[in-house]
Amino acid sequence: MAEDWRIYRGTGVPHDGIDRLPGAPVWRAFGAPSAACQDLPAEDAAAVTARRLGKARQAAAYRADEREVDLVNLALHLRRPLLVTGKPGVGKSTLAYAVAHELGLGPVLRWPITSRSTLRDGLYSYDAIGRLHEAGLRRETASGVGLLAVPRPGEAHAEDALGLLPRSLSGVGLGRADAVVYAFRMGNHRPAGSPPADDLRAAEEQSPAIGQFLRLGPLGTALLPWRTPRVLLIDEIDKGDLDLPNDLLNVFEEGEFEIPELVRLGPGVHRVGTADHGGTAEVDGGVVRCADFPLVVLTSNGEREFPAALLRRCVRLEIQPPTAERLTAMVTAHLGEAVGGSEQTAALITEFLRRREDGAELANDQLLNALLMAGRGLGDGGRGKKVLHDDLLRPLNES
């Protein structure tokens, strides 16, 4: 019987145990939930894709062992990230979906890491060029703004306006009027020959709301003040740049971050997009601050070591390769009782485990692929059986 301190039970059966989660330790308390907190987004079952339905089955099928359950609960109680390591395909990512499914924590926010990923990617994105072009479309209909008086190419001071553009925005075909409006917006700089300041302020008022061009990333969305913690999956963090783990530390410690483009505008509430499909949220004063730290699941294939500063802030879990019992349960959940209980499945699982014991790296989905095709008649003959064993169950560490 599960101990009372366990919020997550690892059964795959949804329940309201998250309501029993005690308050955060004083050193991990970021803000008390209030009426300003957001409700979890509701998933529209009619709009769920086949891929997401597959994720739901994985969550329902996942059966965590005692140690996994204990460490997930430690991460929940302590409001600390959970660093999950293990061989490819053993179910590291699935754990995040299993917890979200069982505790009713809404859609999992997934941030897949590549060698080019930066902290900014996870926090938010701002389409500055899109906003400038939108402002350009509106300028001719703005009453009394007079932006058409901005110098044209070849006229005096035209290049002065473009020179105020940051390097990241130069050379993208922006009009001179857009350049002047941008320069004014970024700090009231006004090149010689540009319209009066009052006209530029009027242009700013006619510009589209900045929130339409700001979108929170998965990490930024997870740090919104939700009524219950969101689940954030930072997948394969060991593939990221060496500096990424250190860059995450401040956000993990403070539970908040600033959006400079909004902070620059001063006090005020702006509605921005989120990583949830069609989702929006209000950001006050340009600061996103969580009410309760999210359940952050970082996965790693163990391809590199992490700095001690990150390790001491995480609850660490190493997932072991699944047993025959857990593989059978997984197969049954995905392919049905008839397949899960068949002799063919038992034989293929035995072969799968034997190869792993011999040093072959095999992912769980390879077993599912082989059993799916076996059920469609591929393994009936000698040639088909060879395809199952030599191709679908080909070790990942075999060139």
Side-chain angles (χ1 to χ4, degrees), residues 30-209:
F30 301 105
S34 66
C37 290
Q38 297 197 173
D39 292 321
L40 295 175
E43 285 190 285
D44 183 0
V48 175
T49 63
R51 180 184 65 82
R52 200 167 275 226
L53 285 173
K55 291 292 184 186
R57 293 194 192 100
Q58 284 181 344
Y62 190 85
R63 296 293 185 272
D65 63 26
E66 292 294 301
R67 178 169 172 74
E68 292 169 12
V69 171
D70 285 346
L71 294 182
V72 168
N73 280 284
L74 285 177
L76 285 168
H77 279 270
L78 299 175
R79 275 45 170 205
R80 289 293 186 184
L82 181 67
L83 177 59
V84 184
T85 58
K87 296 294 185 181
V90 297
K92 300 185 298 296
S93 301
T94 305
L95 178 61
Y97 291 92
V99 177
H101 171 78
E102 182 176 319
L103 297 182
L105 299 181
V108 172
L109 295 161
R110 180 173 177 265
W111 181 16
I113 302 299
T114 70
S115 60
R116 298 179 300 278
S117 297
T118 65
L119 178 62
R120 167 77 178 261
D121 297 330
L123 294 177
Y124 76 100
S125 61
Y126 174 45
D127 184 7
I129 295 176
R131 190 180 185 216
L132 286 172
H133 279 303
E134 180 68 17
L137 292 175
R138 297 186 181 193
R139 67 178 183 264
E140 292 186 17
T141 60
S143 175
V145 172
L147 285 178
L148 295 181
V150 174
R152 293 298 187 229
E155 297 179 4
H157 313 302
E159 298 308 317
D160 188 17
L162 285 182
L164 293 172
L165 284 172
R167 185 175 300 174
S168 60
L169 294 182
S170 62
V172 293
L174 295 179
R176 269 62 181 171
D178 293 332
V180 174
V181 172
Y182 180 88
F184 173 76
R185 188 177 296 138
M186 293 299 105
N188 290 330
H189 297 295
R190 202 159 56 87
S194 60
D198 289 343
D199 288 347
L200 287 171
R201 289 192 181 92
E204 171 67 14
E205 293 174 0
Q206 294 293 329
S207 296

